[in-house]
Amino acid sequence: MLNKEYSLRRVAIVHDWLTTYAGAERVLEQMLLMFPQADLFSVCDFLPDEEQKFLQGKVPRTTFVQQLPGAHKRYRHYLPLMPLAIEQLDMSGYDLILSSSHAVAKGVLTGPDQLHISYIHTPIRYAWDLQHQYLRESGLEKGLKGWVAKWLLHKIRIWDARTANGVDQFVANSAFIARRIWKIYRRQAVVIYPPVDVEAFAFLPDKEDFYLTASRLVPYKRVGLIVEAFTRMPNKKLKVIGDGPEREKIVQMASGFPNIEILGYQSAQVLAQLMGATRAFVFAAEEDFGITPVEAQACGTPVIAFGKGGALETVIPLAAEEAESFPAATGCFFYEQSVPSIMAAVEHFESIRESIDPAACRANALRFAPERFRKDFMNLVEQAWASFHDGS
């Protein structure tokens, strides 16, 4: 148990921004379940009414960004102001501060008698190693706007590195992110994988004759590469779930290919049904962790994934020569984000798929259940609290 002087009434939970219920919000949801009396803070709160249930009735305390013109739809445009905004949140009345951060939440100001534990989904991607990709995909490589963007990202890097000193304990959502934390902040991080609602995905051992991919249709997800690969494999069926700025491009790419079906946005129920029925789930993004491959495995579905980032920690690969000796395998990897590499991986999967047990996929996914997250995170908080107060 936590120190006897510790009080749940003096816990603050800080989240970057509340606009949708996605991976980072699932972590926040579990924090709120563990610390139901905590006060919640966020840069801004534009959650749709139908997605607010996971906040359990809490009304977040927000910053001045909440009131800025157009912030409801273009809150990301105010990123340069968010470091200033997060520093205006008053943490002085709390003993324990938990931040859930992929941008600025870790930058709240804390004092020497306050324990700050920061769960890092990733350091700010577009300010660090992915800056050049971000600028390229945003059309900001050149010109005056490009120079302004580069200068702003430079200033954010300075602020981000400095505020790492205000964190007492870093927690990473994968070993991949722990390495990024070390590279950027030179701080060690404990790895606690994020929670995945595996029980929302029914185990279905019998599969149908199609492949599936599902994600937001944005450039870094590389859904276009998957679609193009299947245009060159007309004897293999592909279903694509998702919506986003690349949808029109992907629809045009699939036009004239009856083996490819673009389904657009689908409900969670439809997604779970198709994940359970598909022969394999195809995943081409380099993700910090990657929830959808785990959800697919929860259905008993193998995964064909890009072999970099979090997928290396959630998918157990099987090579042809291991088929008889490694029954715990849950999929296979490709190691280049290219059409030929994806095609080769699909062909490789076809040669080994009979050796992959759907029950092994399900068992692997159960490692990431919410109950496991709560247990591991609470243990870390208790140990950090005891260490911070010299075990008294």
Side-chain angles (χ1 to χ4, degrees), residues 293-304:
V294 178
E295 293 173 337
Q297 291 173 81
C299 298
T301 296
V303 176
I304 303 171

Side-chain angles (χ1 to χ4, degrees), residues 349-357:
F349 171 76
E350 292 279 2
S351 71
I352 64 170
R353 67 185 181 90
E354 296 298 332
S355 300
I356 297 179
D357 184 358

Side-chain angles (χ1 to χ4, degrees), residues 215-219 241-250 264-265:
S215 77
R216 289 180 294 117
L217 302 184
V218 293
I241 291 178
D243 204 352
E246 289 215 315
R247 180 175 179 177
E248 183 177 345
K249 172 185 172 182
I250 288 170
Y265 171 80

Side-chain angles (χ1 to χ4, degrees), residues 227-248:
V227 171
E228 185 177 350
F230 276 83
T231 66
R232 302 186 190 183
M233 299 184 290
N235 60 325
K236 302 185 193 307
K237 299 177 182 178
L238 173 70
K239 295 181 186 292
V240 180
I241 291 178
D243 204 352
E246 289 215 315
R247 180 175 179 177
E248 183 177 345

Side-chain angles (χ1 to χ4, degrees), residues 43 62-65 78 80-89 104:
V43 167
T62 58
T63 71
F64 64 81
V65 173
Y78 291 112
L81 296 177
M82 288 185 185
L84 174 63
I86 205 74
E87 291 175 346
Q88 306 316 304
L89 295 175
V104 299

Side-chain angles (χ1 to χ4, degrees), residues 23-40:
E25 287 69 37
R26 299 183 194 200
V27 169
L28 174 61
E29 179 179 24
Q30 298 304 315
M31 288 183 177
L32 293 171
L33 288 172
M34 287 184 283
F35 300 94
Q37 292 176 279
D39 290 329
L40 177 60

Side-chain angles (χ1 to χ4, degrees), residues 13-38 40-42 44-60 100 102 121 195 197 370 373-374:
I13 299 177
V14 187
H15 194 66
D16 287 307
W17 49 72
L18 291 162
T19 59
T20 188
Y21 179 67
E25 287 69 37
R26 299 183 194 200
V27 169
L28 174 61
E29 179 179 24
Q30 298 304 315
M31 288 183 177
L32 293 171
L33 288 172
M34 287 184 283
F35 300 94
Q37 292 176 279
L40 177 60
F41 297 82
S42 180
C44 56
D45 172 23
F46 298 120
L47 268 177
D49 291 342
E50 63 273 14
E51 294 187 14
Q52 291 187 3
K53 183 178 178 181
F54 80 97
L55 295 181
Q56 301 160 48
K58 291 190 181 297
V59 178
S100 163
H102 59 78
H121 306 278
D197 187 8
F373 174 86
R374 291 196 298 270

